[in-house]
Amino acid sequence: MISNSVNKYVWLIDTLRRYGHLTLERVSELWQHSPLGDGKPLSRRTFFVWRSAVEEMFDVEIVCDRATREYRLNRTTGGDDAMRLHTWLADSMSLSGMLSDAAEVADRIVTEPVPSAREHLPVVLNAMKQSRCLEFSYRSYTRSVGSSGVLVEPYFVKIFKQKWYVIGMNVADARIKTYALDRMSDLLITPNEFVMPEGINPTEFFKDYFGITTSHSNPREIILRVEPTQAKYLRALPLHHSQQEQVQDECSIFRYRMCITYDLREQLLSYGSNVEVIAPLELRTMMRSDLEKALSLYK
Protein backbone atom coordinates (compact mmCIF):
# COMPACT_ATOMS: atom_id res chain seq x y z
CA MET A 1 0.00 0.00 0.00
CA ILE A 2 1.16 3.54 -0.72
CA SER A 3 2.59 5.24 2.36
CA ASN A 4 0.21 7.40 4.40
CA SER A 5 2.01 10.64 3.50
CA VAL A 6 1.94 9.90 -0.21
CA ASN A 7 -1.77 9.05 0.10
CA LYS A 8 -2.37 12.57 1.40
CA TYR A 9 -0.34 14.23 -1.34
CA VAL A 10 -2.12 12.25 -4.05
CA TRP A 11 -5.46 13.16 -2.46
CA LEU A 12 -4.56 16.86 -2.68
CA ILE A 13 -3.51 16.57 -6.34
CA ASP A 14 -6.61 14.59 -7.28
CA THR A 15 -8.94 16.96 -5.42
CA LEU A 16 -7.53 20.01 -7.21
CA ARG A 17 -7.59 18.12 -10.52
CA ARG A 18 -11.29 17.28 -10.12
CA TYR A 19 -12.52 20.62 -8.78
CA GLY A 20 -10.18 22.92 -10.70
CA HIS A 21 -10.07 25.92 -8.33
CA LEU A 22 -10.50 25.73 -4.56
CA THR A 23 -10.05 28.07 -1.64
CA LEU A 24 -8.03 26.86 1.31
CA GLU A 25 -11.24 26.77 3.35
CA ARG A 26 -12.91 24.50 0.78
CA VAL A 27 -9.87 22.20 0.62
CA SER A 28 -9.98 21.96 4.40
CA GLU A 29 -13.68 21.10 4.34
CA LEU A 30 -13.22 18.40 1.69
CA TRP A 31 -10.34 16.90 3.67
CA GLN A 32 -12.42 16.85 6.86
CA HIS A 33 -15.08 14.73 5.15
CA SER A 34 -12.73 12.53 3.10
CA PRO A 35 -12.10 8.84 3.95
CA LEU A 36 -8.44 9.72 4.64
CA GLY A 37 -9.26 12.54 7.02
CA ASP A 38 -9.76 12.07 10.75
CA GLY A 39 -12.78 14.34 10.88
CA LYS A 40 -10.66 17.41 11.58
CA PRO A 41 -10.17 20.35 9.21
CA LEU A 42 -6.89 20.77 7.37
CA SER A 43 -4.74 23.45 8.96
CA ARG A 44 -3.12 26.19 6.90
CA ARG A 45 0.34 25.07 8.01
CA THR A 46 -0.29 21.44 7.00
CA PHE A 47 -1.64 22.53 3.61
CA PHE A 48 1.56 24.44 2.84
CA VAL A 49 3.70 21.49 3.98
CA TRP A 50 1.77 19.22 1.60
CA ARG A 51 1.98 21.82 -1.16
CA SER A 52 5.80 21.88 -0.94
CA ALA A 53 5.97 18.07 -0.79
CA VAL A 54 3.76 17.74 -3.89
CA GLU A 55 6.03 20.05 -5.87
CA GLU A 56 9.19 18.24 -4.73
CA MET A 57 7.89 14.69 -5.09
CA PHE A 58 5.66 14.94 -8.18
CA ASP A 59 7.06 18.02 -9.95
CA VAL A 60 3.60 19.62 -9.93
CA GLU A 61 3.16 23.20 -8.75
CA ILE A 62 0.07 24.33 -6.83
CA VAL A 63 -0.42 28.04 -7.53
CA CYS A 64 -2.68 30.62 -5.90
CA ASP A 65 -4.87 33.16 -7.71
CA ARG A 66 -4.42 36.20 -5.48
CA ALA A 67 -7.60 37.82 -6.80
CA THR A 68 -9.87 34.93 -5.81
CA ARG A 69 -7.62 33.34 -3.16
CA GLU A 70 -8.16 30.00 -4.92
CA TYR A 71 -5.56 27.28 -5.46
CA ARG A 72 -5.14 25.21 -8.61
CA LEU A 73 -2.67 22.91 -10.33
CA ASN A 74 -0.22 24.61 -12.67
CA ARG A 75 -0.76 22.61 -15.85
CA THR A 76 2.51 23.86 -17.36
CA THR A 77 4.54 21.79 -14.87
CA GLY A 78 4.78 18.04 -14.94
CA GLY A 79 2.93 17.70 -18.26
CA ASP A 80 0.35 15.17 -19.41
CA ASP A 81 2.46 12.17 -18.36
CA ALA A 82 2.63 13.46 -14.80
CA MET A 83 -1.11 14.08 -14.66
CA ARG A 84 -1.82 10.55 -15.94
CA LEU A 85 0.41 9.17 -13.19
CA HIS A 86 -1.36 11.26 -10.56
CA THR A 87 -4.77 10.06 -11.81
CA TRP A 88 -3.61 6.45 -11.70
CA LEU A 89 -2.20 6.88 -8.20
CA ALA A 90 -5.43 8.48 -7.01
CA ASP A 91 -7.51 5.65 -8.46
CA SER A 92 -5.22 3.03 -6.91
CA MET A 93 -5.29 4.83 -3.57
CA SER A 94 -9.08 5.02 -3.61
CA LEU A 95 -9.41 1.33 -4.48
CA SER A 96 -6.90 0.37 -1.79
CA GLY A 97 -8.87 2.31 0.79
CA MET A 98 -12.17 0.76 -0.23
CA LEU A 99 -10.77 -2.78 -0.03
CA SER A 100 -9.14 -2.09 3.34
CA ASP A 101 -12.54 -1.06 4.70
CA ALA A 102 -14.24 -4.18 3.32
CA ALA A 103 -12.65 -6.84 5.54
CA GLU A 104 -16.06 -8.11 6.66
CA VAL A 105 -16.95 -9.10 3.08
CA ALA A 106 -13.45 -10.29 2.07
CA ASP A 107 -14.81 -13.77 1.23
CA ARG A 108 -17.05 -12.14 -1.39
CA ILE A 109 -14.35 -10.16 -3.19
CA VAL A 110 -12.87 -12.03 -6.16
CA THR A 111 -9.40 -11.01 -7.33
CA GLU A 112 -7.02 -12.43 -9.90
CA PRO A 113 -3.36 -13.32 -9.42
CA VAL A 114 -0.97 -10.60 -10.54
CA PRO A 115 2.82 -11.07 -10.86
CA SER A 116 4.15 -9.00 -7.97
CA ALA A 117 6.40 -6.04 -8.69
CA ARG A 118 6.94 -5.13 -5.02
CA GLU A 119 10.39 -6.72 -4.98
CA HIS A 120 11.87 -5.26 -8.16
CA LEU A 121 9.93 -2.06 -8.90
CA PRO A 122 11.46 -0.01 -6.03
CA VAL A 123 14.96 -1.03 -7.16
CA VAL A 124 14.24 -0.04 -10.76
CA LEU A 125 12.77 3.31 -9.72
CA ASN A 126 15.76 4.05 -7.49
CA ALA A 127 18.12 3.27 -10.37
CA MET A 128 16.15 5.65 -12.60
CA LYS A 129 16.33 8.44 -10.00
CA GLN A 130 20.08 7.91 -9.55
CA SER A 131 20.71 7.51 -13.32
CA ARG A 132 22.57 4.26 -12.66
CA CYS A 133 22.56 1.04 -14.65
CA LEU A 134 20.76 -2.11 -13.56
CA GLU A 135 22.30 -5.57 -13.64
CA PHE A 136 20.18 -8.72 -13.49
CA SER A 137 19.57 -12.24 -14.75
CA TYR A 138 16.67 -12.65 -17.16
CA ARG A 139 14.48 -15.57 -18.14
CA SER A 140 12.81 -14.88 -21.49
CA TYR A 141 9.79 -16.96 -22.48
CA THR A 142 11.09 -17.17 -26.07
CA ARG A 143 14.49 -18.65 -25.16
CA SER A 144 15.32 -21.99 -23.56
CA VAL A 145 18.32 -20.58 -21.68
CA GLY A 146 18.23 -17.48 -19.50
CA SER A 147 20.73 -14.64 -19.58
CA SER A 148 22.89 -13.47 -16.68
CA GLY A 149 24.79 -10.24 -16.15
CA VAL A 150 22.36 -8.21 -18.27
CA LEU A 151 23.33 -4.54 -18.01
CA VAL A 152 20.62 -1.98 -18.80
CA GLU A 153 20.22 1.79 -18.61
CA PRO A 154 16.64 2.09 -17.23
CA TYR A 155 14.81 4.87 -19.10
CA PHE A 156 11.20 4.36 -18.01
CA VAL A 157 8.71 1.79 -16.74
CA LYS A 158 5.27 0.81 -18.04
CA ILE A 159 2.42 -1.34 -16.77
CA PHE A 160 0.51 -3.44 -19.31
CA LYS A 161 -2.10 -6.09 -18.54
CA GLN A 162 -1.22 -5.96 -14.83
CA LYS A 163 2.50 -6.58 -15.39
CA TRP A 164 5.35 -4.10 -14.97
CA TYR A 165 8.09 -3.63 -17.58
CA VAL A 166 11.27 -1.57 -17.69
CA ILE A 167 12.43 -0.12 -21.00
CA GLY A 168 16.03 0.88 -21.46
CA MET A 169 19.29 0.59 -23.34
CA ASN A 170 20.92 -2.83 -23.29
CA VAL A 171 24.56 -1.77 -22.90
CA ALA A 172 26.06 -4.82 -24.60
CA ASP A 173 23.73 -4.71 -27.63
CA ALA A 174 23.43 -0.90 -27.77
CA ARG A 175 19.69 -1.35 -28.34
CA ILE A 176 16.61 -0.22 -26.44
CA LYS A 177 14.83 -3.30 -25.10
CA THR A 178 11.89 -4.18 -22.87
CA TYR A 179 12.14 -6.43 -19.80
CA ALA A 180 9.35 -7.85 -17.63
CA LEU A 181 10.06 -7.36 -13.94
CA ASP A 182 8.59 -10.74 -12.98
CA ARG A 183 11.19 -12.53 -15.14
CA MET A 184 14.16 -10.86 -13.43
CA SER A 185 16.36 -12.25 -10.68
CA ASP A 186 19.55 -11.13 -8.91
CA LEU A 187 18.59 -7.51 -9.58
CA LEU A 188 20.96 -4.81 -8.33
CA ILE A 189 21.91 -1.20 -8.96
CA THR A 190 25.45 -0.81 -10.30
CA PRO A 191 27.84 2.16 -9.83
CA ASN A 192 27.73 2.72 -13.62
CA GLU A 193 26.07 6.05 -14.37
CA PHE A 194 24.29 6.98 -17.59
CA VAL A 195 22.81 10.10 -19.17
CA MET A 196 19.19 9.99 -20.29
CA PRO A 197 19.20 10.62 -24.07
CA GLU A 198 17.55 13.84 -25.18
CA GLY A 199 14.17 13.53 -26.85
CA ILE A 200 13.24 10.14 -25.35
CA ASN A 201 10.03 10.00 -23.34
CA PRO A 202 7.49 7.19 -22.81
CA THR A 203 4.56 8.91 -24.54
CA GLU A 204 6.54 9.55 -27.70
CA PHE A 205 8.22 6.14 -27.59
CA PHE A 206 4.93 4.20 -27.46
CA LYS A 207 2.69 6.57 -29.44
CA ASP A 208 2.50 4.25 -32.48
CA TYR A 209 2.09 1.00 -30.55
CA PHE A 210 -0.52 -1.00 -28.71
CA GLY A 211 0.83 -2.73 -25.63
CA ILE A 212 4.45 -3.25 -24.72
CA THR A 213 5.99 -4.80 -27.86
CA THR A 214 7.59 -2.55 -30.48
CA SER A 215 8.86 -2.98 -34.02
CA HIS A 216 11.08 -1.28 -36.59
CA SER A 217 8.22 -0.95 -39.09
CA ASN A 218 6.38 2.28 -39.86
CA PRO A 219 2.87 2.94 -38.52
CA ARG A 220 0.07 1.85 -40.83
CA GLU A 221 -3.57 2.77 -41.24
CA ILE A 222 -5.48 -0.08 -39.64
CA ILE A 223 -9.18 -0.47 -40.45
CA LEU A 224 -11.50 -2.75 -38.49
CA ARG A 225 -15.12 -3.74 -39.09
CA VAL A 226 -16.67 -4.12 -35.63
CA GLU A 227 -19.99 -5.62 -34.56
CA PRO A 228 -22.32 -3.24 -32.63
CA THR A 229 -21.86 -4.83 -29.19
CA GLN A 230 -18.06 -4.93 -29.45
CA ALA A 231 -18.10 -1.34 -30.71
CA LYS A 232 -19.56 -0.24 -27.38
CA TYR A 233 -16.57 -1.73 -25.57
CA LEU A 234 -14.12 0.04 -27.90
CA ARG A 235 -15.91 3.34 -27.34
CA ALA A 236 -15.66 2.89 -23.58
CA LEU A 237 -12.01 1.78 -23.68
CA PRO A 238 -10.31 2.85 -26.94
CA LEU A 239 -7.73 0.48 -28.35
CA HIS A 240 -5.38 3.39 -29.18
CA HIS A 241 -5.35 7.18 -28.93
CA SER A 242 -5.67 7.44 -32.73
CA GLN A 243 -9.05 5.66 -32.73
CA GLN A 244 -11.73 7.08 -35.03
CA GLU A 245 -15.16 5.60 -35.62
CA GLN A 246 -17.61 5.69 -38.52
CA VAL A 247 -21.00 4.19 -37.65
CA GLN A 248 -22.74 2.22 -40.40
CA ASP A 249 -26.09 0.43 -40.55
CA GLU A 250 -25.03 -2.96 -39.20
CA CYS A 251 -21.53 -2.30 -37.87
CA SER A 252 -18.91 0.33 -37.12
CA ILE A 253 -15.69 1.05 -38.95
CA PHE A 254 -12.77 1.87 -36.63
CA ARG A 255 -9.60 3.46 -37.99
CA TYR A 256 -6.20 3.62 -36.29
CA ARG A 257 -2.64 4.73 -36.99
CA MET A 258 -0.41 2.05 -35.45
CA CYS A 259 2.49 -0.29 -36.04
CA ILE A 260 1.72 -3.98 -36.45
CA THR A 261 3.04 -5.84 -33.41
CA TYR A 262 2.57 -9.12 -31.58
CA ASP A 263 0.50 -7.46 -28.83
CA LEU A 264 -1.84 -5.89 -31.39
CA ARG A 265 -2.40 -9.20 -33.18
CA GLU A 266 -3.08 -10.98 -29.88
CA GLN A 267 -5.60 -8.33 -28.90
CA LEU A 268 -7.42 -8.49 -32.24
CA LEU A 269 -7.54 -12.29 -32.07
CA SER A 270 -9.16 -12.05 -28.64
CA TYR A 271 -12.18 -10.33 -30.22
CA GLY A 272 -12.99 -13.43 -32.26
CA SER A 273 -15.69 -13.02 -34.91
CA ASN A 274 -16.77 -9.65 -33.51
CA VAL A 275 -13.94 -7.83 -35.29
CA GLU A 276 -12.69 -8.18 -38.86
CA VAL A 277 -9.45 -6.64 -40.11
CA ILE A 278 -10.18 -4.85 -43.37
CA ALA A 279 -6.77 -3.26 -43.91
CA PRO A 280 -3.86 -3.38 -44.32
CA LEU A 281 -3.64 -6.59 -46.32
CA GLU A 282 -0.46 -7.56 -44.46
CA LEU A 283 -2.26 -7.60 -41.10
CA ARG A 284 -5.32 -9.30 -42.58
CA THR A 285 -3.07 -12.06 -43.95
CA MET A 286 -1.37 -12.47 -40.54
CA MET A 287 -4.74 -12.76 -38.83
CA ARG A 288 -5.95 -15.36 -41.29
CA SER A 289 -2.76 -17.40 -40.81
CA ASP A 290 -3.10 -17.23 -37.01
CA LEU A 291 -6.74 -18.33 -37.20
CA GLU A 292 -5.97 -21.19 -39.57
CA LYS A 293 -3.27 -22.48 -37.22
CA ALA A 294 -5.68 -22.31 -34.31
CA LEU A 295 -8.42 -24.06 -36.29
CA SER A 296 -6.04 -26.87 -37.30
CA LEU A 297 -5.80 -27.88 -33.63
CA TYR A 298 -9.49 -28.81 -33.63
CA LYS A 299 -9.61 -31.00 -36.77
Side-chain angles (χ1 to χ4, degrees):
M1 185 181 296
I2 304 173
S3 73
N4 192 43
S5 294
V6 175
N7 277 339
K8 296 172 182 177
Y9 306 152
V10 173
W11 175 88
L12 180 58
I13 293 173
D14 187 55
T15 299
L16 291 172
R17 179 182 61 83
R18 287 187 289 112
Y19 286 90
H21 298 73
L22 290 172
T23 63
L24 180 55
E25 291 74 17
R26 181 57 175 155
V27 173
S28 177
E29 180 184 345
L30 291 169
W31 169 254
Q32 185 176 2
H33 297 287
S34 76
L36 290 175
D38 55 4
K40 298 179 181 179
L42 183 67
S43 71
R44 183 180 184 87
R45 179 180 180 278
T46 300
F47 172 79
F48 282 105
V49 169
W50 291 5
R51 180 186 180 186
S52 297
V54 162
E55 183 172 353
E56 180 179 353
M57 184 175 295
F58 296 105
D59 192 27
V60 172
E61 184 182 12
I62 298 175
V63 296
C64 179
D65 186 331
R66 296 186 180 277
T68 62
R69 299 176 64 86
E70 291 179 324
Y71 292 89
R72 62 176 175 81
L73 298 178
N74 185 356
R75 298 282 178 170
T76 62
T77 62
D80 293 339
D81 291 335
M83 291 310 302
R84 277 192 288 268
L85 174 61
H86 306 149
T87 301
W88 181 81
L89 283 172
D91 291 343
S92 299
M93 179 189 69
S94 176
L95 179 60
S96 176
M98 284 187 290
L99 293 178
S100 297
D101 293 336
E104 66 274 15
V105 291
D107 59 337
R108 293 156 60 188
I109 300 175
V110 182
T111 61
E112 58 181 299
V114 178
S116 176
R118 285 179 297 177
E119 180 182 358
H120 294 326
L121 185 57
V123 180
V124 173
L125 296 179
N126 280 332
M128 290 168 58
K129 288 189 289 186
Q130 298 177 42
S131 295
R132 294 184 182 275
C133 292
L134 290 167
E135 184 177 338
F136 53 88
S137 298
Y138 195 72
R139 177 177 50 85
S140 173
Y141 290 158
T142 59
R143 296 183 179 180
S144 57
V145 179
S147 303
S148 60
V150 180
L151 195 63
V152 170
E153 299 176 355
Y155 292 164
F156 39 84
V157 294
K158 180 178 181 179
I159 188 170
F160 177 63
K161 292 187 175 180
Q162 301 177 309
K163 295 177 66 175
W164 282 97
Y165 297 83
V166 58
I167 298 89
M169 179 70 70
N170 181 296
V171 176
D173 295 344
R175 290 175 52 196
I176 296 179
K177 295 184 177 181
T178 301
Y179 299 91
L181 268 60
D182 63 305
R183 299 175 214 165
M184 292 179 174
S185 60
D186 305 319
L187 177 65
L188 56 87
I189 300 175
T190 73
N192 302 6
E193 296 183 349
F194 70 92
V195 177
M196 185 76 175
E198 293 185 7
I200 289 187
N201 65 75
T203 300
E204 186 67 22
F205 187 84
F206 284 107
K207 71 174 184 177
D208 295 323
Y209 301 108
F210 169 83
I212 199 70
T213 56
T214 59
S215 72
H216 296 292
S217 62
N218 294 323
R220 310 282 296 279
E221 182 183 33
I222 295 171
I223 304 175
L224 309 177
R225 179 183 288 118
V226 183
E227 295 302 308
T229 300
Q230 184 63 54
K232 295 178 182 178
Y233 288 96
L234 289 178
R235 291 183 201 121
L237 189 62
L239 190 63
H240 188 255
H241 64 81
S242 64
Q243 177 171 297
Q244 295 181 346
E245 179 185 5
Q246 178 185 354
V247 180
Q248 299 185 345
D249 292 337
E250 298 181 356
C251 66
S252 290
I253 300 297
F254 284 85
R255 297 176 184 272
Y256 303 90
R257 187 71 178 174
M258 285 188 286
C259 294
I260 298 173
T261 62
Y262 173 83
D263 284 340
L264 176 61
R265 287 166 54 194
E266 288 290 295
Q267 185 68 23
L268 295 177
L269 286 170
S270 73
Y271 297 141
S273 60
N274 295 321
V275 172
E276 177 188 0
V277 175
I278 303 302
L281 179 60
E282 176 186 359
L283 178 58
R284 184 178 173 89
T285 301
M286 290 178 178
M287 295 292 293
R288 178 169 180 168
S289 176
D290 290 336
L291 291 168
E292 288 176 345
K293 290 178 182 177
L295 186 60
S296 67
L297 300 176
Y298 297 92
K299 289 182 177 180

